[in-house]
Amino acid sequence: MYAIVEIAGHQYKVQKDQRIYVNRLQGNEGDKVSFDRVLLTDDNGKVEVGAPVIEGVAVNATILEHLKADKVIIFKKKRRKGYRVKNGHRQAITSIKIEGIGKGTAKKAAAKVEATEAAPAAEKKTAAKKPAAKKAAPKKEGDAAKKPAAKKAAPKKTEE
């Protein structure tokens, strides 16, 4: 059985007990993570395709380690100008091991997410509201008559 799952903005084909490298994930080494954005599953020829995701299916994994990928060299040059710049960087990645692909596990993960989202919502309701902004005082009729006068054009200079 395999599944195509979206992890950190990328799509991966995963199987049970597979080790893959993904963009850096939140969490510590040894933490369990669940990915509920499963796009396709194949169980011995029985293919199920989501539109866009399959509801009730999740991929469970364990974070093995956080590390950096191989260095990528960026070299820029302009001919005959003496311009050469060499830069490089190492992308932060996470190694994870796929524990299983299953139905029903996404419901548990979704329930946890809903519970954590409900707690901050309750805090927002109990928080004190900010005082209302002061309303602008109505303008008096005499204020309209005191508009600043338009600047007069400077007299043109004539050459004599």
Side-chain angles (χ1 to χ4, degrees):
M1 177 177 190
Y2 74 87
I4 297 178
V5 62
E6 185 175 324
I7 302 172
H10 295 286
Q11 296 176 7
Y12 298 94
K13 179 181 176 182
V14 297
Q15 295 178 342
K16 188 175 193 274
D17 298 327
Q18 182 182 10
R19 180 179 175 168
I20 60 173
Y21 296 97
V22 298
N23 285 342
R24 181 66 57 99
L25 298 175
Q26 297 292 328
N28 298 323
E29 295 178 5
D31 288 353
K32 305 277 187 196
V33 290
S34 179
F35 306 105
D36 60 346
R37 295 206 35 94
V38 178
L39 307 173
L40 179 140
T41 59
D42 182 7
D43 190 11
N44 297 328
K46 182 183 172 193
V47 178
E48 187 176 351
V49 180
V53 296
I54 302 171
E55 298 296 326
V57 177
V59 174
N60 297 318
T62 303
I63 296 176
L64 298 177
E65 61 181 335
H66 296 294
L67 52 131
K68 288 186 176 182
D70 295 336
K71 183 175 273 192
V72 178
I73 304 296
I74 297 98
F75 183 74
K76 299 178 182 180
K77 179 180 178 181
K78 293 187 180 178
R79 297 185 311 162
R80 298 182 294 275
K81 306 293 183 206
Y83 174 76
R84 295 186 306 175
V85 175
K86 181 179 177 182
N87 285 321
H89 81 283
R90 297 181 69 186
Q91 189 71 30
I93 61 174
T94 300
S95 173
I96 62 173
K97 181 179 180 184
I98 304 300
E99 298 295 328
I101 303 165
K103 295 187 183 276
T105 54
K107 293 178 185 176
K108 293 177 187 175
K112 289 180 183 177
V113 170
E114 289 176 10
T116 56
E117 289 176 356
E123 291 175 9
K124 288 179 184 177
K125 290 179 183 177
T126 59
K129 293 183 179 179
K130 294 181 181 179
K134 292 182 180 179
K135 293 182 181 178
K139 292 185 179 182
K140 297 178 183 176
E141 292 179 19
D143 290 344
K146 295 181 182 178
K147 289 183 183 177
K151 292 184 179 180
K152 295 181 181 178
K156 294 183 181 179
K157 295 182 181 179
T158 57
E159 295 182 22
E160 293 179 8

